[in-house]
Amino acid sequence: MDSFFLTYLWPAIVMIGQSLLLLVCLLVFIAYILLADRKIWAAVQLRRGPNVVGPWGLFQSFADLLKFVFKEPIIPAGSNKGVFLLAPLVSVTLALATWAVIPVNQNWVIANINVGILYVFAISSLEVYGIIMGGWASNSKYPFLGALRSAAQMVSYEVSMGLIIVTVLLTVGSLNLTDIVAGQNHGIGTMIGLPSSFLDWNWLVLFPAMVIFFISALAETNRPPFDLPEAESELVAGFMVEYGSTPYMMFMLGEYAAIVLMCALTTILFLGGWLPPLDIAVLNWVPGIIWFILKGMFVFFMFAMVKAFVPRYRYDQLMRLGWKVFLPMSLVLVIVTAFVVKLTAGA
Amino acid sequence: MGLQAVFFYLFAFVAVASAFMVISARNPVHSVLFLILVFFNAAGMFLLTGAEFLAMILLVVYIGAVAVLFLFVVMMLDIDFAELRSGFMQNAPMGALVGLILAAELIVVIGGSVITPQAAQSITTPIPSPATRTNTAALGDLLYTNYVYFFQVAGLVLLVAMIGAIVLTLRHRQNIKRQDISRQVARTPATAVEVVKVKPGQGI
């Protein structure tokens, strides 16, 4: 009985505890990321943004949560009820499931698996199902059009994103996310004799890759300027037209969880994860998680600024950008990186 | 071991049940959704056997791309179910034949490994233990050394298929406006705007 407890039950309890801790932190973080998004957007447009609930509007997201939960969920009569309710669940579950392998600090990860980056890529490629199912099950024209658009969009941008991930894998030589961060401890900076610093991170050697990854991440998470699946000027609210109250909130939660995930992924792949910008006394006393959050928030700030600045793309322009610009560029990048890695490996 | 067995039976049961639902669901979209569930559980079983790379690739390629296109097509099609079902008896012998062949092949494969358990080991190179070598590296070592020509030929076949599909469907329509971004960007005030001084009362 004792061995059963030690081999199965205790690890399970630990894992559930870790997952709950991550989940709670993540959800609170998402609530404030959502507020930050609205505040940044408002600041760019010289508005105040949400400022009524709590000091400086800090509790706005929680007020929204209560509002959504207490509203009556309306399921259209002509909809396919099971799939209609399953769709937001799928999208939020998948978006949160990816976080199982994201390391937020040295050894602070729930599942440190060998194929971590592939897992993230695989799960985020499934996120399109939430949208397709929601759009189809609504049995209505705008949602369906939105769903079709988003399916094509997400599949297209996944291709270039996958190739960019391959370039990172080539330079680091591992699919494990912790190893990818650890691999950024030495690079250009240490080659010329400096201590480990921000010059070693991948953003410097793979700068074009980072730009393509960032833009593809915008398209993959349906953020403006690529928010065609929910383009309100053309499709009202795209695949979410028929949704209200809690299911709608779950779609939004899934979307923002995916956005925060993309910020974390950019941080891990290109900005050195939890590594301090300079490996010297004062900076490396700061816990790694703080650096991780700071970097992630910087990436999110860029996401929010793009939303405020850039006008929406037309659909054909979006497809052209994905297939005719990003795909060839990322392919060339993979080839060049492979050559450079091969040539410098012997030295 | 016990936990692995629990998960195996979970994945296997869900996979078989949803495979049954694929063929029995009345709505083709539901069929595709169940098919996706089958793929997902197959990926879970790959994980249980330690083939983590294959599991993830199954997720990315089959669920993330192929099944999406599948769903895409099925959703767009306007299928008349009554008509589909009327042809059931005509197609039944064909389906039975395919099923029979599949079953026979499965029996041969399983029977072979029952009769000579060592046969399975002799046809492949020894599998390195997962502790010393990651799955991805081991696969890469095999694919890019012993099987590099087959790998390249497979890639070529796919390339030819892709080009074929593009050639078959591509048609350049005349008389529509096309956007040429490089030309738009290359425009300057000198090439785009003409400043004309118009004398009052004369027009251009």
Side-chain angles (χ1 to χ4, degrees):
Chain A
M1 197 61 215
D2 241 18
S3 72
F4 173 78
F5 179 78
L6 281 180
T7 43
Y8 293 130
L9 223 52
W10 181 242
I13 291 169
V14 168
M15 203 178 279
I16 291 170
Q18 284 175 333
S19 309
L20 278 180
L21 183 70
L22 179 82
L23 208 60
V24 169
C25 293
L26 188 66
L27 290 180
V28 171
F29 196 71
I30 287 173
Y32 281 101
I33 276 288
L34 212 135
L35 182 72
D37 195 21
R38 295 169 71 176
K39 280 282 192 190
I40 293 169
W41 202 10
V44 172
Q45 297 174 344
L46 300 180
R47 291 184 288 119
R48 281 176 192 278
N51 64 348
V52 175
V53 190
W56 306 291
L58 277 180
F59 302 133
Q60 180 66 46
S61 299
F62 301 100
D64 286 344
L65 172 84
L66 288 180
K67 187 187 82 178
F68 281 130
V69 171
F70 287 122
K71 264 188 174 177
E72 179 195 0
I74 296 172
I75 303 171
S79 71
N80 200 311
K81 287 184 189 59
V83 182
F84 185 81
L85 289 178
L86 198 62
L89 259 176
V90 164
S91 90
V92 80
T93 314
L94 288 175
L96 293 176
T98 331
W99 280 89
V101 298
I102 300 289
V104 292
N105 197 349
Q106 184 77 46
N107 298 329
W108 284 25
V109 53
I110 292 173
N112 190 13
I113 60 176
N114 279 330
V115 286
I117 186 76
L118 267 181
Y119 172 82
V120 172
F121 188 60
I123 299 292
S124 62
S125 73
L126 300 190
E127 269 162 29
V128 66
Y129 282 114
I131 294 177
I132 302 186
M133 283 161 73
W136 176 78
S138 298
N139 196 12
S140 164
K141 288 194 181 61
Y142 284 141
F144 189 60
L145 285 174
L148 289 185
R149 277 185 176 189
S150 89
Q153 171 181 339
M154 289 172 92
V155 170
S156 310
Y157 278 84
E158 241 164 56
V159 181
S160 58
M161 221 160 147
L163 287 171
I164 292 304
I165 290 177
V166 170
T167 62
V168 177
L169 300 183
L170 280 172
T171 46
V172 176
S174 171
L175 274 77
N176 183 312
L177 287 167
T178 308
D179 290 351
I180 289 175
V181 174
Q184 297 179 54
N185 245 326
H186 43 81
I188 290 185
T190 46
M191 245 181 242
I192 55 173
L194 293 169
S196 282
S197 69
F198 63 95
L199 292 175
D200 302 330
W201 302 342
N202 280 335
W203 67 270
L204 193 59
V205 271
L206 295 173
F207 190 73
M210 188 177 81
V211 174
I212 296 178
F213 186 85
F214 180 75
I215 300 174
S216 302
L218 289 176
E220 183 77 9
T221 52
N222 298 325
R223 283 284 288 187
F226 305 116
D227 59 341
L228 290 157
E230 43 193 289
E232 58 275 282
S233 55
E234 305 155 21
L235 297 178
V236 192
F239 64 95
M240 293 196 250
V241 170
E242 304 290 348
Y243 282 89
S245 72
T246 314
Y248 174 80
M249 185 201 69
M250 290 175 81
F251 262 134
M252 288 307 277
L253 178 63
E255 198 165 287
Y256 272 87
I259 290 165
V260 177
L261 175 84
M262 281 301 161
C263 296
L265 208 57
T266 316
T267 309
I268 289 170
L269 292 179
F270 296 104
L271 298 178
W274 56 82
L275 300 174
L278 253 180
D279 198 8
I280 53 172
V282 187
L283 289 180
N284 57 21
W285 291 342
V286 179
I289 176 105
I290 303 284
W291 288 122
F292 188 82
I293 291 176
L294 280 179
K295 289 171 187 174
M297 273 161 55
F298 169 72
V299 180
F300 181 77
F301 180 71
M302 306 287 278
F303 264 67
M305 287 308 255
V306 170
K307 177 179 179 174
F309 285 164
V310 186
R312 182 177 293 134
Y313 261 55
R314 217 171 52 209
Y315 193 68
D316 61 313
Q317 292 172 330
L318 174 86
M319 283 295 146
R320 177 187 165 276
L321 186 70
W323 289 107
K324 293 189 178 171
V325 181
F326 283 173
L327 181 61
M329 272 171 80
S330 46
L331 249 178
V332 169
L333 265 175
V334 169
I335 296 168
V336 170
T337 318
F339 267 105
V340 171
V341 168
K342 180 73 188 162
L343 291 178
T344 53
Chain B
M1 200 60 216
L3 211 56
Q4 270 209 338
V6 169
F7 276 106
F8 171 77
Y9 284 115
L10 179 74
F11 287 139
F13 176 75
V14 177
V16 172
S18 40
F20 178 74
M21 289 305 289
V22 172
I23 48 173
S24 63
R26 288 182 168 270
N27 193 327
V29 174
H30 289 178
S31 287
V32 179
L33 290 177
F34 277 114
L35 185 69
I36 291 160
L37 199 57
V38 176
F39 283 147
F40 204 83
N41 283 284
M45 296 222 256
F46 270 133
L47 267 187
L48 278 185
T49 56
E52 47 191 22
F53 186 76
L54 275 183
M56 294 305 150
I57 291 301
L58 186 73
L59 281 186
V60 174
V61 176
Y62 279 89
I63 309 185
V66 174
V68 171
L69 297 181
F70 226 72
L71 200 58
F72 220 55
V73 173
V74 171
M75 282 189 335
M76 305 280 280
L77 287 178
D78 191 19
I79 302 172
D80 186 0
F81 301 111
E83 196 185 335
L84 259 183
R85 277 176 208 289
S86 69
F88 178 75
M89 282 322 288
Q90 275 178 322
N91 293 327
M94 203 60 164
L97 184 69
V98 172
L100 209 68
I101 293 173
L102 268 179
E105 282 175 349
L106 274 180
I107 289 169
V108 168
V109 169
I110 296 167
S113 66
V114 168
I115 295 164
T116 49
Q118 67 275 20
Q121 276 123 43
S122 62
I123 53 170
T124 52
T125 35
I127 303 160
S129 102
T132 56
R133 196 119 184 71
T134 67
N135 228 286
T136 320
L139 264 178
D141 278 351
L142 270 183
L143 268 188
Y144 291 103
T145 51
N146 293 1
Y147 301 108
V148 64
Y149 296 117
F150 300 103
F151 186 70
Q152 293 290 340
V153 166
L156 258 181
V157 170
L158 282 179
L159 183 68
V160 169
M162 190 179 87
I163 294 174
I166 293 173
V167 167
L168 284 178
T169 53
L170 183 73
R171 62 195 166 103
H172 274 292
R173 275 190 295 173
Q174 310 293 322
N175 306 328
I176 54 165
K177 274 196 168 175
R178 283 190 179 281
Q179 188 181 22
D180 186 348
I181 290 192
S182 57
R183 232 177 56 206
Q184 285 181 342
V185 174
R187 265 155 63 109
T188 58
T191 58
V193 186
E194 190 184 357
V195 182
V196 185
K197 275 234 155 45
V198 185
K199 274 187 185 155
Q202 282 193 350
I204 303 170

